[in-house]
Amino acid sequence: MDSKNIPSIKNPAVLFLSFFGVGFVKYAPGTFGSLAILPLLYFLGKFNPPAFLFLPFLLILTLLSCFIADSTQKKYLLHDPGWIVIDEVLGMFVTWLFICNNNLVHLLIGFVTFRFFDIVKIWPASYFDKKVKHGAGTILDDIVSGLYAGSLTVLLIKLLEYFKV
């Protein structure tokens, strides 16, 4: 890859996909991408909003991310590079939609469950990750992982409440 074809956060698409450069941290960029959205989710959770309010925004942002990821990966001749962390950001957002609050324990459980499912990639996340070569494959595996993580987060929160932990 010549120097003109190296991703730079000066490129708006790279800035967006790396979530304002977070994806370029040296170690565990996916984990840092997942963490980077937590302050915003905490703030939004202060208002205990209904999840359905965020669905149109999330759908548009997911579609936009798929297309930007596809064109950027083609430009730089890459497939799902570690610096693209907008997928982790969206996956954490999906996870948070199951709780829509700012309880730090709930956010921690959501973060841990999302990272677990993002790493393990249970089907159909694994299908999107391995088989879909479009930018959608880069993004949608984390959306699926967010759905799994959100479901498990709710279950774990209910268990904690039941056992009064």
Side-chain angles (χ1 to χ4, degrees):
M1 186 181 312
D2 63 35
S3 62
K4 288 185 269 183
N5 207 26
I6 296 174
S8 166
I9 60 172
K10 292 179 182 177
N11 177 326
V14 173
L15 183 67
F16 171 76
L17 293 172
S18 68
F19 200 62
F20 306 102
V22 171
F24 289 103
V25 297
K26 192 171 183 174
Y27 299 105
T31 298
F32 280 97
S34 302
L35 284 170
I37 191 66
L38 288 179
L40 175 61
L41 298 178
Y42 177 83
F43 174 76
L44 291 174
K46 285 181 163 261
F47 304 102
N48 289 326
F52 75 87
L53 291 178
F54 297 101
L55 292 178
F57 169 76
L58 185 62
L59 178 63
I60 291 167
L61 195 57
T62 299
L63 292 172
L64 187 64
S65 297
C66 289
F67 287 105
I68 293 172
D70 189 58
S71 66
T72 303
Q73 289 176 130
K74 284 178 181 171
K75 175 181 179 177
Y76 294 110
L77 305 174
L78 300 168
H79 177 69
D80 202 1
W83 59 263
I84 294 181
V85 296
I86 194 67
D87 51 335
E88 278 83 12
V89 169
L90 293 170
M92 273 302 303
F93 204 110
V94 169
T95 302
W96 176 80
L97 286 179
F98 283 75
I99 57 171
C100 281
N101 68 45
N102 68 334
N103 181 304
L104 291 175
V105 172
H106 297 177
L107 288 169
L108 177 64
I109 293 169
F111 171 77
V112 170
T113 59
F114 174 71
R115 291 307 301 147
F116 170 79
F117 285 110
D118 186 30
I119 292 165
V120 173
K121 303 229 184 286
I122 296 171
W123 190 90
S126 60
Y127 171 80
F128 288 111
D129 185 52
K130 300 291 184 215
K131 302 288 186 195
V132 179
K133 298 304 177 194
H134 185 276
T138 302
I139 304 300
L140 295 179
D141 67 308
D142 290 69
I143 299 298
V144 172
S145 295
L147 293 170
Y148 285 137
S151 300
L152 182 58
T153 298
V154 169
L155 177 66
L156 293 173
I157 289 168
K158 296 295 182 193
L159 285 172
L160 287 174
E161 290 170 356
Y162 180 79
F163 290 108
K164 303 201 183 341
V165 177

